[in-house]
Amino acid sequence: MFGQQIVNGLALGLTYSLTAIGFTLIFGVLGLINFAHGEVYMMGAFIAFTLVAFLGVNYFVAFLLAIAFSGLMGYFLELIAFRPLRNAIPEATLIATLGVSTFLKEFANIIWGPEVHTINTPFLSSSFALGGIQISVIQIVILIVSVLLMWGLQLILYKTKTGYAIRAISQDMGASYLMGVNVDNTIAMTFVIGSALGGAAGVLMGTYYGAFYPTMGYMPGLKAFVAMVLGGLTSIPGAVIGGIILGISETLAGAYISAGVQDAISFLILILILLFFPQGLSGKKRSA
Amino acid sequence: MEKRGFYLYKLIALILLVLGILFPLLVSDQYVIRIINMTFIYIILSMSLNLITGVTGQFHLGHAAFYGVGAYIAALLSVKLHVSFLFAFIAGGIGAGFIGLLIGLPTIRLRDIYLTVTTLGFGEIVRLILLNWVSVTRGPMGIPGIPYPEFFGIKIMSQIDFYYLIFFVLILSVVVLFRITYSRYGDILRAIRENELAAKTLGINTTIYKVTAFVIGALFAGLAGALFAYFSAYISPDSFTFAESINILAMVVIGGLGSMPGAILGAVILALAPEAFRFLAEYRMVVVGLLMLGVILWRHSGLIGEQTAIKFMNMKIGGK
Amino acid sequence: MLLKGEKLIKRFGGLLAVDNVDFEVKKGEIFGLIGPNGAGKTTLFNLITGVMEPTAGSIYIDEEEVTKLPPYEIANRGISRTFQEIKLFKALNVEENVMLGMVSNSKIGLLNTILHSGTYKREKRRIEERAYNILEIVGLKHRIGWQAKNLPYGEQRMLEIGRALATSPKILALDEPAAGMNEQESDKLLETINYIRDKMDITIFIIEHDMKVIMSLCDRIMVMDFGQKIAEGKPSEIQNNPLVIEAYLGREE
């Protein structure tokens, strides 16, 4: 029973981690919260759903296309809601992303309707027993894909020029600009990468729970935000660990306390941790 | 130094007051009055959040929780304990203020994003408590059958009755919040927002002021919640979600952070927009989203920014 | 002794920013603090104004120990300061900045504010009059109604002094008030500081790089280098102290 919950929690937590990475990358370069991130997650999921359910595209091809589409959405999101407001107060950007978020949710409502959709993937939802623990194929897929994507992200961040530029801007945007880093393009790339990961998380989660609906990005968006804060705001490994902690504690709380507590537990953990560690778990003190 | 003459804003306030009193006589459509009642409640919410987030600079994402606490306290007191309206109404405000104090004391020292995420978490926890503490709140079924308000022998039953009740509370809120916002006291709050360290070195105990602003904001949100409970006769956790917190925040930001006329205008626009766009049927919320985006791209510091509002407050007519 | 520091130490990780410093400021004097960049002068100011807690040592105002009190408590016991990097309330008006120095010991409370009571109106008038008075002293009366952020740099520094004066301090701590000022402005500054000490009976504790300002102004000077106090005395003594000369000359490239 306990082992089973850990497996389920890990699968859930990894998708939180993927979502949280996008949040963290964007927060790293701009110091801003992107409240449309949950809707990018939802749109990614719906693209995959549409491709599979209506156009009969192979699941994995659809998955890749959905990731690409989410990345593109990230690009436009930055262009519309972030770039024009770069010198405005942070609250302005927040409201702009909320505007986009409202728009996307309602847009999805019109196109796909408010009801819950599923895609039929017998292979993915089949499961096998391992030492008394039921493990489904989709859980394995989540594990493999998450690890691959996170590994890919590390490659991008540490082995490419774009990655170098992203890290430079996270340290000091003004200095990076003076050093010849193309700030506009780099920020746009950050959104593309972060949103692609968010979209990937959406597809995996939609498949895992067999549920695609317009507000599916809402809770994961909030949880990813929490995971980012737990991880210390700008640390990607921190966000991954934060996501996993949330996933496992939620599953355990759901199994051993009550289903009602499941969603609240993340926020309780967050508030408790912030009361004792006002800078997050692995957070360095940012100089004011 | 002092210019003679009459403050323009006082004249406008007077005109609005008269219009407000006469409104139900001019427009008798029950549906319209119902929407206006709801708009007034949103104005109270928006002004109270403006004190916390706009004036004092505490980025607070859980305002709907105080609204909900006020509503549930008033509803439970009147339905389960048959407490009278005035008492339940005031208890709703004080209860929300008290929760604000409990949350504010430990969290107000957290900075920026940590405070933001904590208030967000707090809001979600309150909603989940309302949803899951079924024995008291009836969970998702909500609380129906909230009686008509009755005080001093007056019974509030029709939309027009409610209109005057809510209008009265609105005016009271405007006066109190206006006096706090545009006074030396408000200057202290703004100073804390601008540079907390400098404020401390001037002998200002900034924590007390920040917590006080938080509690006052929570208290008025609670009063708005209590009004809402009586007004709609039925409440459920659906009315007090994160989306509602964001909606209230959007009113403040679109109107202009730190600006009371802005908070009022923002509330009017966002409360009426879904009604105004009703002809668009299912597309109307799409338009509301685009409206939020458009306004903020057009005017970064809101429709009536803080400085614009302060200039407006100092404008006089007549005399020289 | 109006202000006294005893064996003050402030450590940042491995760095000793303030290393076992003793000092005393007497009532009515202008006491200067000089030293090369990074000597720990501003850190010492942060310690005596409660902005930072000392790692060890004690601070006394009028014989009362204030060592670990928060900044607002220390301010209310009579020390007020300005900052090397100007920290005005930028969105507020010139006169509002000054008035904020007075609210903490005024009778304007929340309840009076909401009720617009007689006390509120009286206090409001008193505070306004005094603010205009102070703006006259620092030469900014012509800027009433301006937003602080729109003032020229030198005037922003004067406004910070005015704001600090408004708290009616016993000691005014000035952190490089002449920085970024032109000749004319720093002359006005000297005049104002002398006025504040002579006419308002306020003791001055000043950090300054401009030697002309410091030598002509101060009664006594303390010199810091690498966190330690290396000399103390009258301006003429300091000018001829070999340790001081070495600290300054030895650092020149």
Side-chain angles (χ1 to χ4, degrees):
Chain A
M1 175 70 178
F2 183 74
Q4 182 72 59
Q5 298 309 330
I6 296 290
V7 169
N8 294 349
L10 188 65
L12 177 65
L14 281 170
T15 64
Y16 286 161
S17 302
L18 279 182
T19 321
I21 290 173
F23 252 124
T24 307
L25 280 172
I26 292 166
F27 191 85
V29 292
L30 291 178
L32 292 171
I33 313 163
N34 170 16
F35 271 106
H37 198 57
E39 277 57 54
V40 171
Y41 169 108
M42 173 272 293
M43 288 299 284
F46 263 121
I47 292 299
F49 161 76
T50 308
L51 289 173
V52 173
F54 292 111
L55 303 172
V57 177
N58 171 282
Y59 179 82
F60 287 97
V61 176
F63 182 54
L64 291 177
L65 286 173
I67 291 180
F69 177 83
S70 310
L72 199 65
M73 278 191 56
Y75 178 81
F76 284 110
L77 178 67
E78 197 273 334
L79 197 67
I80 293 168
F82 283 84
R83 193 169 299 183
L85 294 169
R86 211 171 285 162
N87 296 318
I89 47 170
E91 288 83 357
T93 314
L94 182 93
I95 295 303
T97 59
L98 287 170
V100 172
S101 154
T102 309
F103 171 79
L104 288 176
K105 234 180 295 183
E106 296 305 321
F107 177 78
N109 225 340
I110 293 166
I111 304 279
W112 292 287
E115 63 273 19
V116 173
H117 304 268
T118 57
I119 41 180
N120 197 10
T121 49
F123 170 66
L124 288 175
S125 43
S126 65
S127 62
F128 55 92
L130 193 75
I133 298 171
Q134 283 291 318
I135 300 176
S136 62
V137 174
I138 182 71
Q139 286 177 329
I140 303 285
V141 171
I142 287 176
L143 179 69
I144 294 173
V145 171
S146 304
V147 171
L148 277 178
L149 287 175
M150 288 174 200
W151 179 63
L153 177 68
Q154 291 300 307
L155 282 186
I156 292 176
L157 283 182
Y158 289 92
K159 301 281 181 205
T160 68
K161 266 185 108 165
T162 307
Y164 174 76
I166 291 177
R167 287 184 296 130
I169 292 183
S170 302
Q171 293 293 322
D172 186 334
M173 189 187 294
S176 311
Y177 179 75
L178 294 174
M179 299 291 286
V181 173
N182 187 332
V183 171
D184 282 350
N185 281 355
T186 309
I187 291 176
M189 272 313 288
T190 311
F191 274 81
V192 169
I193 296 169
S195 301
L197 292 175
V203 181
L204 291 173
M205 232 34 228
T207 316
Y208 184 35
Y209 282 130
F212 296 81
Y213 53 99
T215 55
M216 66 184 285
Y218 163 68
M219 262 297 168
L222 290 190
K223 302 283 175 58
F225 181 24
V226 172
M228 169 182 91
V229 174
L230 287 184
L233 290 181
T234 51
S235 153
I236 286 173
V240 171
I241 293 167
I244 292 173
I245 290 177
L246 287 192
I248 291 178
S249 41
E250 275 181 20
T251 328
L252 290 179
Y256 294 106
I257 308 174
S258 85
V261 184
Q262 188 167 343
D263 274 330
I265 199 83
S266 297
F267 301 109
L268 275 176
I269 291 176
L270 168 85
I271 288 178
L272 287 179
I273 286 183
L274 281 181
L275 289 182
F276 292 105
F277 304 92
Q279 301 286 336
L281 276 182
S282 69
K284 324 181 257 292
K285 244 190 163 122
R286 286 165 73 102
S287 52
Chain B
M1 196 77 20
E2 290 282 304
K3 285 189 293 181
R4 299 182 72 85
F6 192 69
Y7 280 108
L8 178 62
Y9 80 85
K10 287 190 177 170
L11 181 70
I12 292 179
L14 200 69
I15 294 171
L16 288 176
L17 182 71
V18 172
L19 272 182
I21 293 169
L22 297 181
F23 184 79
L25 309 176
L26 306 172
V27 178
S28 53
D29 188 334
Q30 295 289 304
Y31 177 72
V32 172
I33 291 179
R34 193 185 157 77
I35 291 167
I36 297 298
N37 285 343
M38 209 48 231
T39 306
F40 285 170
I41 291 177
Y42 274 119
I43 293 177
I44 300 176
L45 288 169
S46 162
M47 290 188 309
S48 63
L49 181 62
N50 180 51
L51 185 72
I52 299 174
T53 298
V55 180
T56 321
Q58 311 285 319
F59 205 83
H60 168 42
L61 282 183
H63 210 49
F66 295 132
Y67 179 41
V69 167
Y72 268 84
I73 288 177
L76 289 172
L77 283 179
S78 68
V79 171
K80 297 211 168 172
L81 302 175
H82 309 290
V83 170
S84 71
F85 165 76
L86 274 184
F87 187 80
F89 170 66
I90 291 168
I94 290 179
F98 182 69
I99 301 282
L101 183 68
L102 287 185
I103 296 298
L105 277 178
T107 59
I108 216 86
R109 70 197 164 90
L110 297 172
R111 296 194 64 91
D112 308 336
I113 185 146
Y114 296 106
L115 178 76
T116 306
V117 75
T118 310
T119 54
L120 182 156
F122 156 72
E124 279 303 301
I125 289 172
V126 166
R127 186 179 67 86
L128 292 165
I129 289 174
L130 297 181
L131 208 51
N132 291 293
W133 194 11
V134 178
S135 59
V136 174
T137 65
R138 297 180 19 110
M141 292 175 297
I143 302 176
I146 299 164
Y148 289 120
E150 217 178 327
F151 52 95
F152 308 138
I154 308 168
K155 192 163 189 187
I156 303 290
M157 291 173 77
S158 70
Q159 285 298 337
I160 292 181
D161 294 349
F162 271 109
Y163 175 90
Y164 284 111
L165 173 67
I166 297 173
F167 188 59
F168 178 75
V169 178
L170 172 67
I171 288 172
L172 210 69
S173 315
V174 169
V175 169
V176 172
L177 291 170
F178 183 92
R179 286 183 169 182
I180 294 174
T181 306
Y182 298 104
S183 66
R184 296 289 87 83
Y185 198 90
D187 286 344
I188 298 179
L189 301 178
R190 266 184 285 273
I192 292 170
R193 179 193 72 197
E194 295 286 306
N195 198 319
E196 186 167 357
L197 178 63
K200 280 185 190 165
T201 63
L202 293 176
I204 296 168
N205 184 344
T206 54
T207 308
I208 288 187
Y209 283 94
K210 288 199 295 187
V211 172
T212 308
F214 200 68
V215 169
I216 296 170
L219 188 140
F220 277 97
L223 290 179
L227 275 184
F228 173 73
Y230 278 101
F231 167 60
S232 61
Y234 163 80
I235 54 170
S236 79
D238 290 344
S239 302
F240 313 107
T241 57
F242 176 65
E244 191 68 338
S245 291
I246 290 302
N247 191 22
I248 302 166
L249 181 67
M251 294 171 177
V252 177
V253 177
I254 284 180
L257 272 170
S259 149
M260 252 187 70
I264 295 171
L265 182 65
V268 170
I269 291 176
L270 282 192
L272 294 184
E275 304 302 330
F277 296 132
R278 195 164 280 280
F279 67 94
L280 294 170
E282 73 261 39
Y283 293 97
R284 85 196 151 106
M285 284 312 287
V286 177
V287 175
V288 171
L290 290 177
L291 181 76
M292 279 165 65
L293 181 64
V295 168
I296 213 67
L297 288 177
W298 174 46
R299 288 182 76 101
H300 297 180
S301 44
L303 292 171
I304 309 176
E306 181 174 47
Q307 291 306 319
T308 316
I310 288 175
K311 281 199 192 90
F312 168 70
M313 293 301 164
N314 290 321
M315 259 188 247
K316 288 187 176 179
I317 46 171
K320 278 196 69 169
Chain C
M1 214 46 59
L2 189 49
L3 173 66
K4 189 164 82 175
E6 253 179 23
K7 298 194 172 57
L8 282 175
I9 294 177
K10 180 65 188 181
R11 191 189 293 276
F12 296 113
L15 175 81
L16 267 173
V18 174
D19 186 0
N20 215 11
V21 171
D22 287 291
F23 70 92
E24 289 178 347
V25 182
K26 294 178 196 137
K27 184 161 170 23
E29 72 175 340
I30 299 184
F31 186 68
L33 172 55
I34 62 171
N37 280 325
K41 303 181 299 290
T42 296
T43 307
L44 188 71
F45 258 37
N46 285 339
L47 297 184
I48 62 167
T49 52
V51 171
M52 290 173 180
E53 269 188 25
T55 312
S58 338
I59 301 161
Y60 301 87
I61 299 175
D62 263 341
E63 314 295 328
E64 183 196 0
E65 174 152 15
V66 296
T67 311
K68 295 212 162 146
L69 294 183
Y72 62 88
E73 292 270 14
I74 290 187
N76 289 334
R77 280 169 176 70
I79 298 192
S80 188
R81 73 173 290 181
T82 65
F83 296 87
Q84 195 180 336
E85 292 168 28
I86 297 175
K87 293 192 198 302
L88 286 171
F89 307 121
K90 292 185 190 136
L92 273 62
N93 283 344
V94 166
E95 63 274 25
E96 286 166 345
N97 267 277
V98 175
M99 288 184 222
L100 276 162
M102 280 175 261
V103 284
S104 68
N105 41 29
S106 80
K107 294 189 194 73
I108 289 188
L110 182 61
L111 208 60
N112 282 327
T113 301
I114 294 173
L115 297 177
H116 264 203
S117 66
T119 314
Y120 173 83
K121 288 174 186 157
R122 267 196 306 281
E123 282 291 283
K124 185 168 178 275
R125 215 171 306 125
R126 182 182 71 83
I127 286 176
E128 275 167 5
E129 272 163 23
R130 200 168 129 68
Y132 295 143
N133 197 351
I134 286 172
L135 285 172
E136 183 113 58
I137 293 170
V138 295
L140 289 177
K141 214 160 176 190
H142 61 297
R143 297 298 193 201
I144 284 171
W146 284 49
Q147 250 180 298
K149 66 176 174 200
N150 296 332
L151 293 189
Y153 195 74
E155 293 191 347
Q156 294 199 7
R157 289 213 173 275
M158 294 306 283
L159 180 55
E160 250 203 356
I161 295 176
R163 186 179 69 179
L165 274 182
T167 65
S168 306
K170 295 175 191 157
I171 303 171
L172 180 61
L174 304 171
D175 195 347
E176 296 199 26
M181 283 189 172
N182 60 31
E183 190 91 359
Q184 197 191 344
E185 286 171 328
S186 67
D187 284 347
K188 165 73 187 156
L189 174 72
L190 278 178
E191 194 187 307
T192 309
I193 293 177
N194 275 315
Y195 180 90
I196 292 169
R197 194 262 305 259
D198 299 339
K199 297 289 189 305
M200 302 175 77
D201 204 19
I202 291 171
T203 305
I204 310 278
F205 191 0
I206 177 171
I207 297 177
E208 188 47 69
H209 271 303
D210 186 330
M211 283 301 150
K212 191 189 125 208
V213 170
I214 211 93
M215 291 300 164
S216 62
L217 200 58
C218 294
D219 300 311
R220 288 190 310 131
I221 295 169
M222 160 164 107
V223 189
M224 282 178 78
D225 192 22
F226 290 118
Q228 292 174 329
K229 171 165 141 183
I230 58 167
E232 187 181 291
K234 294 193 178 109
S236 56
E237 295 164 8
I238 294 298
Q239 268 169 322
N240 299 316
N241 186 318
L243 275 173
V244 177
I245 295 166
E246 195 199 308
Y248 274 91
L249 295 183
R251 207 66 56 80
E252 268 172 28
E253 321 282 304

